[in-house]
Amino acid sequence: MTMRSLKMKTEFTLLALISLIISGCQPQKSSIKPGEVWEDDNGLFINAHGGGVLYHEGTYYLYGEMKEGETYLPECNKSWGGTRVDVTGVSCYSSNDLFNWKYEGVVLPAVEDDPSHDLYKGNVLERPKVIYNAKTNKFVMWMHVDSKDYSKAAAGVAVSNFPTGPFEYIESFRPNAGVWPANAAEADTTEGILARDFEGGQMARDMTIFVDDDGKAYQFYSSENNATMHISELTDDYLRPTGKYKRVFPGRKMEAPAVFKKDGKYYFIASGCTAWEPNPARSAVAESIWGPWEELGNPCIGEGGEKTFTSQSTYVLPVQGKSDAFIFMADRWNKDDLPDSRYIWLPIKFDESGKIVLEWHDEWDLSVFDK
Ligand code: GAL
């Protein structure tokens, strides 16, 4: 071994030791404190906004938008207050208990120097969701990719062989080009945004992915300039839409969709459409993923409920090993300092009529599901 490699090895071992000591020093968490700063195993603020969780082989993986740097308001977004930070990429954290999260790094980084690339730092990358495909043994990430002024309105797809990446970016597209939704009315095919976008594909902004018990996956995306939600079936490899899709909640202007299934029924939570500002959440239920969807109103009760406790939905996380245990995950955006946006995680309850109920908790743990 040369002196140089010996020195490098010593430095490396020292660094590993320091990081081990730092993470070893982190007090173990045993509860969730919505809205408080939530630190990872390195004592750093968990940076995974607009996130979602994948459970795979005993581990939860949290993916989200890593928001760093200065928050600014581009000229093109002034009319609606669309502040932003440059894109850093999609971060990943892992956990076995949902309280203590290990930082796994940026699994899909932004592109620094190519303005024509979808992932260029000056563009938009939001609401990443990762699912596992058992047939291809790949981890598939879907996300909202956009231009700085949000006019591109497209879905992006990336894949990896491992939950902790690296993810390889494949492409972006507007879903369902050249196909009418299964429930298009006559008028939809001649006028309006659906008809306008028929050839090039439908606008796709805020989104989530839901995998059903039979392994079929669906993308829910805010379409038609955010006026109407689309539910779109994915191909068996989860990489493209099949062309089977439906319009739901027409004209209801819903964003931030989150979907889960309980006792054979499909539940949906979303927000209204007010950029970073909070608004009353929406909820809905259906017997089939294709609907009809029955709206159940704002599930949040008590003080602050009228603005979703100052937050916006991002995902519903089924807790493993407990029955009917679901966590509502939301972002409390700080539009003037986006990296300081906080997380609101609350247990989901159901009332006697089967409606979703969300109540504020300053601090809680998984024992709430035992009651
Ligand atoms: C919200 C949307 C976020 C982000 C933001 C930009 O309505 O849910 O994902 O796009 O607008 O202002």
Side-chain angles (χ1 to χ4, degrees):
M1 195 181 279
T2 63
M3 276 309 282
R4 189 159 175 272
S5 61
L6 181 69
K7 188 166 171 268
M8 276 170 66
K9 195 165 177 241
T10 318
E11 277 169 5
F12 182 77
T13 318
L14 213 60
L15 271 176
L17 203 67
I18 290 169
S19 108
L20 202 72
I21 291 168
I22 290 174
S23 58
C25 287
Q26 293 310 310
Q28 287 292 295
K29 295 170 192 63
S30 52
S31 67
I32 289 170
K33 297 178 184 169
E36 305 254 312
V37 168
W38 196 343
E39 290 169 350
D40 66 10
D41 61 324
N42 294 316
L44 298 172
F45 183 15
I46 292 177
N47 198 332
H49 308 275
V53 173
L54 166 75
Y55 179 75
H56 186 71
E57 294 182 348
T59 302
Y60 295 96
Y61 296 92
L62 167 68
Y63 304 88
E65 304 157 27
M66 172 155 265
K67 290 201 178 295
E68 279 182 348
E70 189 205 344
T71 303
Y72 61 97
L73 181 59
E75 198 57 42
C76 57
N77 297 346
K78 273 211 163 122
S79 62
W80 56 279
T83 53
R84 56 170 282 122
V85 290
D86 279 353
V87 180
T88 303
V90 177
S91 56
C92 176
Y93 295 80
S94 63
S95 174
N96 298 319
D97 61 10
L98 296 173
F99 307 122
N100 298 285
W101 292 90
K102 174 173 180 262
Y103 179 55
E104 300 283 359
V106 172
V107 294
L108 181 69
V111 169
E112 290 281 321
D113 50 8
D114 177 4
S116 70
H117 197 288
D118 282 349
L119 304 186
Y120 177 59
K121 62 182 179 185
N123 289 330
V124 167
L125 191 179
E126 290 177 343
R127 300 189 177 273
K129 303 287 175 286
V130 174
I131 53 177
Y132 170 67
N133 188 299
K135 287 192 180 131
T136 59
N137 199 22
K138 300 263 183 210
F139 297 84
V140 184
M141 181 189 293
W142 282 68
M143 67 210 96
H144 167 201
V145 296
D146 224 317
S147 43
K148 187 179 274 183
D149 64 358
Y150 288 83
S151 60
K152 185 182 174 83
V157 182
V159 284
S160 176
N161 291 324
F162 307 100
T164 49
F167 279 80
E168 184 197 343
Y169 188 68
I170 305 179
E171 59 174 345
S172 74
F173 48 81
R174 283 190 168 187
N176 298 310
V179 201
W180 294 114
N183 60 345
E186 184 69 32
D188 299 329
T189 64
T190 51
E191 58 199 54
I193 297 176
L194 189 88
R196 181 198 72 188
D197 292 342
F198 177 74
E199 264 175 45
Q202 298 299 325
M203 296 177 88
R205 292 202 183 107
D206 277 15
M207 52 134 282
T208 195
I209 301 286
F210 172 74
V211 183
D212 209 341
D213 307 327
D214 61 2
K216 276 223 170 298
Y218 303 85
Q219 184 197 8
F220 284 63
Y221 56 89
S222 302
S223 194
E224 304 176 41
N225 212 16
N226 298 344
T228 296
M229 186 71 50
H230 288 185
I231 302 176
S232 170
E233 186 185 72
L234 304 188
T235 50
D236 282 353
D237 58 11
Y238 298 166
L239 298 179
R240 297 283 306 184
T242 62
K244 182 174 177 187
Y245 74 112
K246 261 194 169 179
R247 305 173 74 228
V248 287
F249 312 116
R252 292 284 290 133
K253 293 194 174 155
M254 295 200 190
E255 287 195 314
V259 181
F260 64 103
K261 192 177 186 183
K262 176 183 167 293
D263 300 334
K265 286 188 183 171
Y266 299 84
Y267 289 88
F268 172 89
I269 304 181
S271 71
C273 192
T274 53
W276 301 122
E277 300 298 338
N279 55 53
R282 319 279 181 86
S283 65
V285 65
E287 299 281 342
S288 153
I289 195 132
W290 297 115
W293 285 88
E294 181 200 346
E295 279 201 50
L296 301 174
N298 180 357
C300 304
I301 59 168
E303 203 189 326
E306 67 294 343
K307 289 276 173 75
T308 320
F309 310 113
T310 317
S311 72
Q312 184 187 30
S313 42
T314 183
Y315 197 73
V316 170
L317 160 56
V319 179
Q320 300 299 314
K322 291 191 183 268
S323 59
D324 296 344
F326 299 92
I327 299 175
F328 170 73
M329 291 169 50
D331 296 284
R332 179 173 282 176
W333 300 115
N334 178 347
K335 69 176 191 315
D336 300 318
D337 183 7
L338 285 165
D340 186 42
S341 301
R342 305 284 172 85
Y343 311 106
I344 305 298
W345 286 25
L346 294 170
I348 295 182
K349 292 208 290 194
F350 298 87
D351 71 11
E352 321 74 59
S353 67
K355 274 181 159 185
I356 303 169
V357 178
L358 290 168
E359 267 176 315
W360 180 256
H361 293 250
D362 286 333
E363 182 171 6
W364 63 281
D365 62 34
L366 301 183
S367 66
V368 296
F369 296 116
D370 301 336
K371 284 164 201 156

